[in-house]
């Protein structure tokens, strides 16, 4: 279900992505992305810095509203406040329709049903770490089990502590 543990001390994260995923390390807001070509799954961990402080409930609503700007037929399946490693967090799951290139190439884009699952962890009043997994909606059961396992492997490490350890 999961692949090897990925660790990026500079970004302060550890996670095991879906088995068979390609890992794409990034600098900037998107810390890492992963793609499982065979299943057509993909996801990322992003560091989101907001202009103004937002509660988890406010950020969940903002994220849900933003989906409708990019995707059609958005249905929120889960939106709930929770905690993650003692930090305020939220879970957001939605189904939606998006466009994908035709398998034949050169043809009209086709509409596909997508499942988007997210864990949003508030790390500061104006900062969130967001874990996202996209999959075809038809894979909902397996993708849900996979994202639950990913969350179990996920760790947001304190960057200050890591820097102190390296300096010692």
């Amino acid at each position: 279900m999961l692949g090897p543990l990925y660790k990026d001390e500079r970004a302060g994260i550890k996670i095991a992505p879906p088995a068979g995923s390609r890992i794409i390390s990034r600098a900037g807001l998107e810390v890492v992305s992963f793609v499982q070509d065979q299943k057509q799954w993909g996801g990322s961990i992003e560091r989101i810095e907001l202009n103004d402080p937002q509660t988890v409930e406010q950020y969940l609503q903002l994220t849900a509203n933003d989906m409708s700007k990019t995707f059609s037929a958005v249905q929120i399946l889960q939106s709930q406040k929770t905690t993650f490693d003692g930090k305020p967090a939220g879970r957001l799951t939605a189904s939606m329709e998006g466009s994908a290139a035709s398998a034949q190439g050169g043809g009209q884009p086709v509409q596909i049903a997508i499942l988007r699952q997210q864990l949003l962890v508030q790390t500061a009043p104006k900062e969130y770490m967001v874990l996202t997994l996209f999959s075809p909606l038809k894979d909902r059961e397996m993708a849900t089990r996979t994202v639950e396992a990913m969350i179990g492997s996920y760790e947001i490490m304190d960057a200050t502590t890591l820097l102190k350890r390296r300096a010692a």
Side-chain angles (χ1 to χ4, degrees):
M1 182 176 302
L2 296 181
L5 193 65
Y6 171 82
K7 181 177 179 181
D8 183 337
E9 286 188 359
R10 185 176 39 86
I13 62 159
K14 272 197 273 189
I15 191 163
S21 293
R22 287 184 289 121
I23 303 294
I24 305 159
S25 295
R26 308 212 184 241
L29 297 180
E30 187 173 88
V31 176
V32 64
S33 60
F34 40 90
V35 179
Q36 212 298 346
D37 293 310
Q38 220 171 15
K39 293 182 181 176
Q40 298 179 318
W41 292 10
S44 64
I45 296 175
E46 297 176 279
R47 182 182 316 276
I48 306 295
E49 295 182 20
L50 305 169
N51 291 328
D52 300 304
Q54 291 196 7
T55 65
V56 170
E57 293 90 346
Q58 290 170 321
Y59 191 58
L60 282 167
Q61 188 61 54
L62 175 71
T63 303
N65 291 345
D66 283 349
M67 281 187 230
S68 296
K69 295 175 185 173
T70 308
F71 299 97
S72 60
V74 174
Q75 292 184 341
I76 303 301
L77 306 173
Q78 175 192 32
S79 179
Q80 73 180 57
K81 185 177 177 185
T82 186
T83 59
F84 179 81
D85 198 24
K87 296 174 179 66
R91 295 289 303 268
L92 186 62
T93 303
S95 65
M96 59 200 72
E97 288 187 7
S99 296
S102 168
Q104 284 73 32
Q108 292 292 322
V110 294
Q111 288 294 107
I112 57 170
I114 301 168
L115 180 67
R116 175 175 165 167
Q117 300 181 75
Q118 294 184 291
L119 171 69
L120 309 98
V121 182
Q122 188 172 28
T123 53
K126 297 192 291 186
E127 183 180 271
Y128 283 81
M129 292 293 286
V130 180
L131 166 63
T132 303
L133 179 67
F134 284 99
S135 67
L137 184 58
K138 67 178 179 56
D139 293 344
R140 181 177 180 176
E141 186 178 318
M142 176 58 96
T144 299
R145 286 197 314 267
T146 301
V147 84
E148 292 300 328
M150 289 172 64
I151 290 169
S153 77
Y154 185 40
E155 183 180 340
I156 300 172
M157 300 175 286
D158 179 45
T160 307
T161 304
L162 291 171
L163 289 173
K164 286 179 185 175
R165 274 192 218 150
R166 271 192 238 143

